Amino acid sequence: MTLDDVRRGLRAARYITTPRVETALFLALTLEKPLLAEGPAGAGKTELGKVLAEMLRTDLVRLQCYEGLDESRALFEWNYQKQLLRIQADRAEGRTWEDVSTHIFSPDFLLERPLLKAIVAPRKVVLLVDEVDKADPEFEAFLLEVLSDFQVTVPELGTIAARQRPVVVLTSNRTRELSEALVRRCLHLYVDFPGAEKEAEIIALKVPELDERLRAQVARFVAGLRKLELRKAPSIAETLDWARGLCALGVRELDSATVRQTLSLVIKHEEDLRKAEAKVGALLGAR
């Protein structure tokens, strides 16, 4: 796959991006290294994994990270209820424990979680490890081990190696610093919010029914909102929700009344809403 192939694939997947992002994706695919996409929440990092899967015409396996995530939730668990039923059935037939254990500790009783699912997939898949910064440092160390050789050991079954090395995308909102070991293992990409012109392009692609002048106004207004010290800056998805809402209302041009009436589509916290409402006039007049 060439860099031009990546560019064409991203366009076919309707993902508007920059040469820097295109290059990072190409290198991640060519060098077979995990891509770590860092940046503010809502800037489109998760979408990278989804678009890659669409571009490569393969499955997306997503691991959503959170505080307290452990190996069993990320890798595998035994289906205890199914095992218990099998034990009861085998005992009713007078089988020995050796026979019973052979049955219950087999792949048929294994619940594959995202990491193992990506490893045993019969073809190359995209593994999206989303918001890895929310996981505990201990899990991060375990993840690093898995990403190093793409094989895991199940004590009862032995070592399971990847049939096809997954394409790996990790995302981080930078709520905490990731370990140097993990960062070194990955190609790094910072994904920021697009500028007003680029976001207007995204609106045109995703909400084509919106008037050209209005989408430029929306993009400029949202860019201005992101410069305020808000608890949560509007995401690209929220910009698109606002654009669709304006279409549904038949709005042709932004004015103060319309903005105040619909601003909750793009601002989700009350304190942010009050702060933004105080700046509506200035943001509408900005160029």
Side-chain angles (χ1 to χ4, degrees), residues 195-241:
E197 290 185 9
K198 185 68 69 174
E199 193 149 19
E201 289 182 43
I202 296 172
I203 297 171
L205 182 65
K206 303 291 187 179
V207 194
E209 62 271 27
L210 195 70
D211 177 79
E212 180 178 358
R213 174 180 170 148
L214 182 54
R215 68 172 174 252
Q217 282 186 305
V218 168
R220 284 198 304 269
F221 193 91
V222 171
L225 287 175
R226 292 184 182 132
K227 293 177 182 177
L228 302 178
E229 293 182 3
L230 302 179
R231 176 178 170 185
K232 182 188 176 298
S235 68
I236 296 173
E238 288 162 340
T239 300
L240 296 175
D241 285 343

Side-chain angles (χ1 to χ4, degrees), residues 26 41-43 58 63 74 79 88 90 110 128 135 138 140 154 172 176 205-206 219-220 228 231 266 281:
F26 167 71
T58 190
L63 173 62
N79 190 331
Q88 292 172 342
D90 282 352
L110 200 64
L128 172 63
E138 293 78 13
E140 188 182 321
V154 179
S172 168
R176 69 171 177 86
L205 182 65
K206 303 291 187 179
R220 284 198 304 269
L228 302 178
R231 176 178 170 185
V266 72

Side-chain angles (χ1 to χ4, degrees), residues 58-77:
T58 190
D59 296 326
L60 175 72
V61 179
R62 180 175 180 177
L63 173 62
Q64 178 62 53
C65 296
Y66 54 87
E67 187 178 351
L69 177 65
D70 58 17
E71 295 180 24
S72 64
R73 291 293 179 182
L75 192 57
F76 75 90
E77 288 183 288

Side-chain angles (χ1 to χ4, degrees), residues 104-116:
I104 65 173
F105 292 114
S106 66
D108 291 339
F109 295 86
L110 200 64
L111 295 175
E112 296 173 359
R113 300 308 184 193
L115 292 181
L116 183 59

